[in-house]
Amino acid sequence: MTEYNFAYLDEATKRMIRRALLKAVAIPGYQVPFSSREMPMPYGWGTGGVQVTAACLVPEDSLKVIDQGADDTTNAVSIRSFFEKVAGVATTESTADASVIQTRHRIPEAPLVAGQILVFQVPIPEPLRFLEPRETETRTMHALEDYGLMQVRLYEDIARHGEIARAYAYPVKVEGRYVMDPSPIPKFDNPKLNMSPALQLFGAGRECRIYALPPFTRVESLDFEDYPFTPSKAAGHDCAICGAQDSYLDEVITDDSGGRMFVCSDTDYCATRAAQMEANA
Amino acid sequence: MTPLLQVEGLSKRYGAHIGCADVDFTLWPGEVMGIVGESGSGKSTLLNCLAGHLAPDTGRVILDTRAHGPRDTLTMSEPERRWLARTDWAFVHQNPRDGLRMGVSAGGNVGERLMAVGARHYGDIRAQAADWLTRVEIDTARMDDRPSTFSGGMQQRVQIARNLVTGPRLVFMDEPTGGLDVSVQARLLDLLRGLVRRLGLSVVIVTHDLSVVRLLADRLMVMKDGHVVEEGLTDQVLDDPQHGYTQLLVSSVLHV
């Protein structure tokens, strides 16, 4: 482990990222620019999240990496082995045992506790991106709290589909001030952002932006008074493996003749429950 | 009575070139002021300076705001100016594509200003949008269609509904009938005249079409090379033009 500086990035870069993180924590929901580095993986694989994790890691940390809730998918396995190699930190698949969790597209089902850091990989940090193409204008809109346009998008959904059709990356308002893209997590996970005891950090590598939710931050999902926000998931199913009714489910196609099953997307949550049921039986 | 808009010594230069120079005028509540002149005479520069789209070099634009009385809009902070642009002001562009969101339904276009000032009840927003679309003679069956599927005249009417929905007191119009064929123009003018009279709107309307100002405007300002060359009641200016340029302008209108 002498070939690399601890956690791959050099100390000057880590300091730069930590300064951006401090600013992001000081202004919850505000997108702080940072000079994102080239990482030894392609954009879209979580380069922003990896840089934030690298800047947060200390040798005593225990790291968990998940992709769509699973510990055993390509992205999660690659990033976990990356940090095993370049930081030599302990890794775990258990949410409760981890001190830093890097995630793509999910928040773990098990409640997070104070002291834990949740790092999100963010593809598009700007919630107004597809409503207003000019970055100069979206920055002004954030500065002036000019969020009527975001509401127009929700209006259009209801007019066209009879409900707010957005199922992931559902926009939220942070502490009544900044509108934020919570990264492509399902809207089922949005309530977990609110008043979380853990520190939540968001890194967008290609877009060079970092933003954060400090512990116990008020996070509200945008909605209309007569069309309130509903955290939805696959209705009418329990997990086929552990029987959980309260977790977010993946639909898995099992054969060519229409066979399918619904299972927890959070593999650790599912495995823990299954082990418990076996112990009780 | 306090004037709604008071403009003093407004000038805007583009380098050595004059955009508009030393413009003074007063607009009273409920009054329609027409600004005419040839292309490049500074009409649109003046309008954009008044509406806060351009920063003039010198001068004052004092608006009698609903909340705080007379205020100079040029020294206001940007958030205050934007708030005005969503509440007290309205701006109707010549090309509806500049004033509408083409990817958003007609109802959403009209509702945007309501949502921008804090409306969060879908049913109410939709009802108001439908009401305004009806007022500008657009079938509510088409309120969920995008403006790109509308004709030019319909797009212009949606733009007008979108601007008037928050009950502005001062409307800026930049050639609202430009690019429309004559029969559609006539209908739009008729509609505008009705709305202006019924709602008691104050309007600053820029056009090069003298028949538009004849129908709509109470008073008229004639501009040439960035300067105001003549000002007065519309009928007076059009029937008895004093300045040489105005005489030329009036005499060059074709009578069929």
Side-chain angles (χ1 to χ4, degrees):
Chain A
M1 235 300 290
T2 46
E3 299 94 327
Y4 296 101
N5 188 35
F6 175 73
Y8 187 76
L9 294 174
D10 61 278
E11 291 304 314
T13 301
K14 281 198 238 170
R15 187 170 73 162
M16 176 273 293
I17 295 173
R18 285 171 191 153
R19 288 173 70 132
L21 285 170
L22 285 176
K23 184 168 180 182
V25 168
I27 319 171
Y30 172 73
Q31 299 165 45
V32 183
F34 79 112
S35 58
S36 177
R37 297 289 191 256
E38 291 268 341
M39 297 302 282
M41 60 186 74
Y43 288 125
W45 276 61
T47 53
V50 165
Q51 288 178 75
V52 171
T53 303
C56 290
L57 278 182
V58 291
E60 299 77 39
D61 268 327
S62 172
L63 178 70
K64 171 183 165 78
V65 185
I66 50 175
D67 169 11
Q68 307 272 12
D71 289 278
D72 52 4
T73 45
T74 318
N75 194 290
V77 170
S78 314
I79 293 175
R80 188 164 53 233
S81 70
F82 173 74
F83 279 115
E84 275 168 1
K85 186 173 178 190
V86 300
V89 292
T91 53
T92 176
E93 296 196 359
S94 155
T95 305
D97 295 339
S99 57
V100 177
I101 304 170
Q102 179 169 337
T103 175
R104 173 172 177 267
H105 298 195
R106 272 314 305 277
I107 297 176
E109 303 287 355
L112 300 176
V113 296
Q116 286 184 313
I117 300 177
L118 186 59
V119 178
F120 293 81
Q121 301 170 197
V122 182
I124 295 164
E126 179 53 73
L128 304 166
R129 169 68 49 88
F130 296 109
L131 303 170
E132 171 55 63
R134 289 165 295 175
E135 191 81 1
T136 47
E137 182 60 21
T138 57
R139 263 180 252 157
T140 315
M141 289 162 78
H142 282 295
L144 301 180
E145 254 185 288
D146 190 355
Y147 293 131
L149 197 52
M150 197 78 219
Q151 213 69 27
V152 171
R153 170 192 240 171
L154 303 183
Y155 170 96
E156 286 289 286
D157 265 7
I158 301 175
R160 208 166 299 161
H161 308 292
E163 59 175 354
I164 299 175
R166 189 128 191 109
Y168 68 98
Y170 192 101
V172 294
K173 197 163 210 182
V174 180
E175 281 292 332
R177 178 59 182 87
Y178 283 100
V179 165
M180 187 188 95
D181 184 330
S183 86
I185 58 171
K187 67 176 173 180
F188 176 81
D189 283 343
N190 269 20
K192 295 182 197 153
L193 295 165
N194 185 35
M195 288 294 166
S196 169
L199 173 63
Q200 301 173 85
L201 305 174
F202 299 78
R206 181 180 47 206
E207 304 275 336
C208 308
R209 292 287 183 279
I210 282 174
Y211 50 103
L213 297 171
F216 301 106
T217 303
R218 189 157 51 88
V219 180
E220 296 147 313
S221 305
L222 298 180
D223 59 2
F224 285 99
E225 286 160 18
D226 44 348
Y227 284 85
F229 169 77
T230 44
S232 62
K233 58 169 210 155
H237 298 279
D238 300 340
C239 173
I241 297 172
C242 74
Q245 299 174 329
D246 56 351
S247 70
Y248 191 76
L249 302 174
D250 280 343
E251 184 180 9
V252 181
I253 307 291
T254 51
D255 53 32
D256 287 346
S257 51
R260 59 193 59 201
M261 65 194 282
F262 287 86
V263 293
C264 292
S265 97
D266 186 338
T267 50
D268 170 54
Y269 183 73
C270 198
T272 311
R273 276 179 54 91
Q276 245 168 22
M277 279 176 6
E278 206 158 301
N280 291 347
Chain B
M1 195 161 65
T2 21
L4 182 65
L5 189 71
Q6 212 172 342
V7 180
E8 294 169 9
L10 196 76
S11 298
K12 170 77 186 170
R13 302 179 74 93
Y14 300 105
H17 180 73
I18 295 175
C20 62
D22 294 323
V23 179
D24 298 275
F25 73 90
T26 307
L27 185 75
W28 299 90
E31 193 178 32
V32 180
M33 163 79 95
I35 302 175
V36 294
E38 60 194 1
S39 297
S41 62
K43 311 183 298 274
S44 294
T45 298
L46 174 61
L47 196 72
N48 283 319
C49 285
L50 295 178
H53 298 167
L54 276 177
D57 301 326
T58 56
R60 304 207 299 163
V61 179
I62 296 159
L63 178 80
D64 184 21
T65 58
R66 229 181 296 214
H68 305 289
R71 294 278 309 275
D72 188 346
T73 61
L74 302 179
T75 57
M76 265 181 190
S77 66
E78 183 67 21
E80 282 181 292
R81 215 171 8 241
R82 284 218 177 191
W83 183 257
L84 273 185
R86 301 201 287 259
T87 54
D88 275 5
W89 279 345
F91 197 103
V92 178
H93 292 265
Q94 171 176 8
N95 188 342
R97 275 162 203 281
D98 297 335
L100 290 175
R101 295 192 186 278
M102 299 310 278
V104 169
S105 70
N109 264 297
V110 179
E112 180 179 352
R113 270 171 83 105
L114 294 170
M115 293 182 246
V117 298
R120 289 292 179 269
H121 191 284
Y122 176 80
D124 292 351
I125 294 166
R126 200 167 166 78
Q128 282 203 55
D131 176 42
W132 268 100
L133 286 172
T134 316
R135 285 207 225 182
V136 296
E137 297 164 22
I138 285 175
D139 189 357
T140 46
R142 300 213 54 190
M143 90 182 270
D144 292 331
D145 294 345
R146 294 180 177 193
S148 46
T149 65
F150 289 6
S151 70
M154 284 170 82
Q155 288 179 359
Q156 196 58 288
R157 280 181 277 144
V158 174
Q159 194 194 176
I160 288 164
R162 167 183 162 92
N163 272 289
L164 296 186
V165 68
T166 48
R169 297 190 305 159
L170 178 55
V171 184
F172 300 105
M173 295 189 191
D174 191 2
E175 309 261 15
T177 57
L180 300 176
D181 71 59
V182 186
S183 60
V184 177
Q185 267 191 31
R187 249 181 90 192
L188 187 71
L189 279 175
D190 205 37
L191 175 78
L192 275 177
R193 191 156 61 157
L195 287 172
V196 164
R197 295 283 176 265
R198 212 167 328 125
L199 304 170
L201 294 174
S202 307
V203 181
V204 179
I205 180 166
V206 158
T207 181
H208 52 239
D209 188 341
L210 292 183
S211 53
V212 170
V213 288
R214 175 78 92 174
L215 277 169
L216 279 178
D218 303 314
R219 272 197 306 144
L220 198 58
M221 250 165 53
V222 184
M223 291 189 72
K224 179 163 171 51
D225 299 332
H227 295 271
V228 176
V229 293
E230 190 164 352
E231 193 186 347
L233 295 175
T234 304
D235 293 342
Q236 176 196 331
V237 173
L238 292 182
D239 295 338
D240 183 20
Q242 300 295 310
H243 191 273
Y245 174 69
T246 318
Q247 290 170 356
L248 182 72
L249 201 65
V250 171
S251 64
S252 52
V253 174
L254 282 176
H255 294 278
V256 186

